[in-house]
Amino acid sequence: MQEHNRGQWGSNLGFLMAAVGSAVGLGNIWGFPYKMGKTGGFAFLIVYLALVLLVGIVVMLGELALGRSTGKSPIEAYGALKAKYKIVGVMAIISPFVILCFYCVLGGMVMRYMLGFLVSIFGADGFSGQGDGFFGYLLYDYKGMILFFIIFLVVNMGIIMGGVQSGIERFTKIAMPALAVCLVIIIVFVAMQPGAKGGYEFMFKPDFSVFSDPDIGFFGVLKTAAGQMFFSLSLGMGAMITYGSYLSKKESLQRNSLIIPIADTVIALMAGMMVMPACAAYGIDFGKGPGLLFASMQGVFLDGMGGTIGNVMGFLFYFLVFIAAITSSISLLEACSATIIDKQIAKGKAPRRKTAAGIFTLCIFILGLPIALDALGSGGALVKAPYELMGLEAGGAGYAMWNDCWLDFYDLIAEGILMPLGALLMSLIFGWVVGPKYIYDECEQSGHPFKFKPYFDVCFKVIVPIIMVVVLYAQITDFF
Ligand code: TRP
């Protein structure tokens, strides 16, 4: 009966598309290239891939299995294991909320670029005369930042108010393949530009010199890659638990928890192979930071392709990135809302999906404002930087600069701390208390025998906990 109230996926394809839709988003297209660019290219890539294999797939399986076996959203799902584990579920609700605050600001920026190219197609000047340098201009165009932030929030809210099935499934089936095709076209185009080679060398030529960089080092690469991995795969918090809770017992969890990380990683690699060579070709510093995607793509569309073709491709690209961002942000908002909905069902009340989504959206708007108003820490912002509020020195945290910029600060809370901590607790719970058998049994419900028990045993019990402790250590020492 409960399943009736909450909704269920129409088919495995629908589930998979929505889960891949959740995973593939700004993390892959915007985050991956700029984080790789900041922390050494090849070295980052290797560490990232190792983390996907050793941690990502394992945590993915654990979250999906927990969601499906309990049929509940994060807090109640952990509570079903043991009442005191609810706290892990509470952490899992805080992260999507924190992420949404900056995700929707970035989503708004994507919409601004989309609109810029759209009007340029019709001969207007879509970038306020700034062309390539538009990113620097946009950051200080506070009215524009807020306007597009609001538009993105409203679109996001509208979809969640529509309900699980009609809201999420329909949206994703076409957009993901279309995005992949669009990336391929841009990758091929960029490959033909003079100078692009430097980008491939940066990504694929073995070079670990970043490990001896005093500002970054091995720990810097590890924690950046780990945060990025959780973020990109939508892990370490509620999203995949919630998604698993809507999944039918007939479907194979093992297969799904391989397909989602693989698809996500392929898209991230493609984004890297688009952005890095473009940086090399158009003279943009790999380590530029959060503006990397936007700056390098202006080079491609305005200077490289140019004219109407450039404008059309630019519009298409940002439109698809926007869809990818929306399918991710709805999964974040769904993770928040599902908690409230389950609470209401538990109390015997009719679920009020619309109210839940509306209240969260308002809170996200308020807490997201500093991110839209601080020009990403570029200086001259309308709001005080986190370090000013806390009475600290600017940039005291080395290259990460988490305290200069609200986006980085929110990011630090979510992907830097809460997600690794959530993954640590989860692996300890499943590795040592409940036992991994709980997960294997849930997997076998679909009638497929679980094949990789020894591998997952070691990962749950030892490998994931150790890596998470090291990541958290690296993160916390950064404060001092
Ligand atoms: N994975 C998404 C991206 O790469 C972001 C995202 C969506 C997410 N849902 C999530 C991150 C849940 C963490 C948890 O853009």
Side-chain angles (χ1 to χ4, degrees):
M1 214 195 75
Q2 193 179 42
E3 299 214 309
H4 258 109
N5 281 330
R6 308 179 76 240
Q8 209 183 25
W9 302 107
S11 63
N12 197 53
L13 185 68
F15 160 78
L16 208 51
M17 280 301 177
V20 172
S22 156
V24 173
L26 295 175
N28 308 56
I29 314 267
W30 160 83
F32 184 84
Y34 106 73
K35 292 191 174 166
M36 178 162 65
K38 259 187 149 179
T39 54
F42 178 81
F44 172 93
L45 187 60
I46 296 299
V47 173
Y48 183 87
L49 293 176
L51 284 168
V52 171
L53 279 180
L54 294 171
V55 181
I57 291 175
V58 178
V59 175
M60 177 71 71
L61 182 77
E63 289 200 5
L64 289 176
L66 177 62
R68 193 176 73 176
S69 77
T70 57
K72 294 197 164 80
S73 54
I75 297 183
E76 298 304 320
Y78 276 106
L81 294 177
K82 208 179 217 169
K84 68 173 183 208
Y85 295 160
K86 277 195 183 173
I87 180 73
V88 187
V90 173
M91 283 172 24
I93 295 303
I94 300 173
S95 336
F97 182 75
V98 172
I99 291 174
L100 272 171
C101 294
F102 67 84
Y103 211 85
C104 294
V105 175
L106 285 167
M109 293 169 78
V110 167
M111 291 184 93
R112 176 64 188 87
Y113 275 90
M114 180 174 110
L115 189 76
F117 281 111
L118 181 65
V119 302
S120 299
I121 295 175
F122 300 103
D125 174 13
F127 298 107
S128 308
Q130 305 292 317
D132 285 359
F134 183 67
F135 187 74
Y137 170 87
L138 177 63
L139 289 182
Y140 292 96
D141 176 15
Y142 298 118
K143 279 193 209 128
M145 290 288 286
I146 290 183
L147 177 69
F148 284 92
F149 177 32
I150 292 177
I151 297 176
F152 191 90
L153 275 170
V154 169
V155 174
N156 194 27
M157 180 179 76
I159 296 170
I160 287 300
M161 287 184 172
V164 179
Q165 295 247 353
S166 57
I168 306 176
E169 280 185 34
R170 211 185 294 159
F171 229 64
T172 351
K173 284 185 188 159
I174 307 166
M176 290 299 115
L179 176 65
V181 172
C182 185
L183 288 177
V184 170
I185 296 174
I186 301 175
I187 289 171
V188 171
F189 177 83
V190 172
M192 296 183 312
Q193 301 312 302
K197 207 169 110 243
Y200 306 118
E201 285 173 359
F202 182 67
M203 275 179 82
F204 299 119
K205 200 167 136 204
D207 174 5
F208 293 100
S209 53
V210 61
F211 290 162
S212 41
D213 179 325
D215 282 339
I216 304 176
F218 174 71
F219 284 151
V221 176
L222 179 73
K223 73 172 189 222
T224 309
Q228 171 62 27
M229 188 271 300
F230 285 118
F231 188 85
S232 187
L233 293 180
S234 304
L235 290 180
M237 40 156 281
M240 288 297 161
I241 299 180
T242 311
Y243 273 29
S245 76
Y246 298 127
L247 186 60
S248 140
K249 296 275 185 204
K250 292 197 296 284
E251 309 300 347
S252 162
L253 285 177
Q254 317 159 51
R255 215 183 35 160
N256 284 326
S257 48
L258 270 180
I259 297 178
I260 303 165
I262 291 174
D264 186 79
T265 306
V266 168
I267 298 283
L269 284 172
M270 286 168 75
M273 290 177 60
M274 169 180 85
V275 171
M276 295 309 165
C279 289
Y282 300 106
I284 293 160
D285 176 11
F286 294 130
K288 179 179 168 68
L292 194 71
L293 171 76
F294 300 108
S296 62
M297 289 299 106
Q298 289 301 82
V300 171
F301 298 128
L302 298 181
D303 303 340
M305 297 181 175
T308 309
I309 296 194
N311 290 331
V312 171
M313 276 308 290
F315 170 69
L316 194 68
F317 173 73
Y318 280 109
F319 174 69
L320 293 169
V321 174
F322 161 68
I323 302 283
I326 273 287
T327 54
S328 299
S329 61
I330 55 182
S331 91
L332 290 160
L333 188 57
E334 177 67 23
C336 300
S337 309
T339 311
I340 304 282
I341 292 169
D342 282 358
K343 275 243 142 55
Q344 291 164 339
I345 293 177
K347 283 191 194 150
K349 292 190 204 152
R352 294 182 46 201
R353 167 175 287 274
K354 292 196 171 144
T355 319
I359 292 173
F360 276 116
T361 300
L362 189 65
C363 298
I364 292 159
F365 173 67
I366 293 166
L367 286 174
L369 273 180
I371 298 165
L373 298 180
D374 86 341
L376 298 187
S378 313
L382 283 192
V383 290
K384 289 198 160 151
Y387 75 88
E388 289 174 295
L389 290 184
M390 289 181 252
L392 296 170
E393 302 241 339
Y399 83 101
M401 298 204 308
W402 58 270
N403 61 13
D404 288 353
C405 157
W406 283 102
L407 185 149
D408 283 346
F409 180 70
Y410 280 44
D411 205 17
L412 171 80
I413 297 175
E415 74 171 48
I417 296 174
L418 288 174
M419 291 154 114
L421 192 59
L424 172 65
L425 294 174
M426 181 219 206
S427 58
L428 292 176
I429 290 172
F430 282 125
W432 299 99
V433 189
V434 178
K437 187 166 175 304
Y438 178 95
I439 290 172
Y440 309 150
D441 287 349
E442 180 57 36
C443 290
E444 291 179 346
Q445 296 249 344
S446 61
H448 308 78
F450 191 85
K451 291 202 200 86
F452 312 101
K453 284 182 190 165
Y455 177 76
F456 280 88
D457 275 343
V458 179
C459 288
F460 272 119
K461 283 180 194 280
V462 188
I463 297 184
V464 177
I466 291 181
I467 297 180
M468 290 306 102
V469 168
V470 176
V471 166
L472 287 166
Y473 169 80
Q475 199 64 263
I476 285 163
T477 50
D478 214 35
F479 281 106
F480 304 107

